[in-house]
Amino acid sequence: MTTQSNPPAWQPGVTGGGTLPSGPGGRTTAPSGDGHAPQFGPPTVTIGAYPDYPSAQRVVDHLADNRFPVERSAIVGTDLTLVETVLGRMTTARAGLIGAGTGAWFGLFIGLLFGIFTVGNWLAVILAGLVIGAIWGAVFGAVAHAMTGGKRDFTSASSLRANQYAVIVDADVAEQARQLLGRLHLGARAPQTAG
């Protein structure tokens, strides 16, 4: 009589031995090294940090004008903040009006499609599509807003803003980039080193 021995269970930080439970893709192997994902691409160096995007864009443009391989650079926004700007109060009537505008555009598109294949008065087909789209858009817009029960009675627009914009380049061309930027004065902040 033979008995089947089970290998010890895998534990993080312990190398060798042990297996992971099988997943949907079959048996997996234990992660190698420290368990972190491999680094993608070559190492990079920050050559400057700027308070706004146009300054960082000007740096990359300057590098491009001086035949630097800009495909080996990137602009990275750091310290991101989500800003939601409130545009105004939303009422059922306003929701219906916005819906009517959206529906009118869709109706115009459908009217144009049908108008192309109409033998008779194609202008009437386009106008009918526009009016029907506006009516249905207004109805759907008003009903959708009424169904929220007053939980969101305002309109807004969201945007991401960064505190600073870092220009990074591949490490092997960083010195070339620094030399090219020596003549350009933008008020760059010195790159912060981790430590």
Side-chain angles (χ1 to χ4, degrees), residues 50-119:
Y50 305 91
D52 54 14
Y53 181 78
S55 297
Q57 183 180 1
R58 185 172 165 210
V59 166
V60 176
D61 188 49
H62 179 75
L63 291 174
D65 291 345
N66 288 284
R67 304 206 186 284
F68 179 82
V70 289
E71 64 276 3
R72 300 182 70 186
S73 65
I75 298 174
V76 180
T78 58
D79 299 329
L80 295 178
T81 304
L82 175 66
V83 177
E84 185 173 7
T85 305
V86 178
L87 302 174
R89 186 168 185 264
M90 178 63 77
T91 62
T92 304
R94 186 169 181 197
L97 188 62
I98 293 171
T102 305
W105 278 110
F106 184 69
L108 178 65
F109 173 70
I110 297 299
L112 284 170
L113 282 178
F114 283 117
I116 292 172
F117 302 106
T118 301
V119 177

Side-chain angles (χ1 to χ4, degrees), residues 7-21 29-35:
W10 177 80
Q11 296 175 353
V14 177
T15 57
T19 58
L20 291 173
T29 59
S32 61
D34 60 0

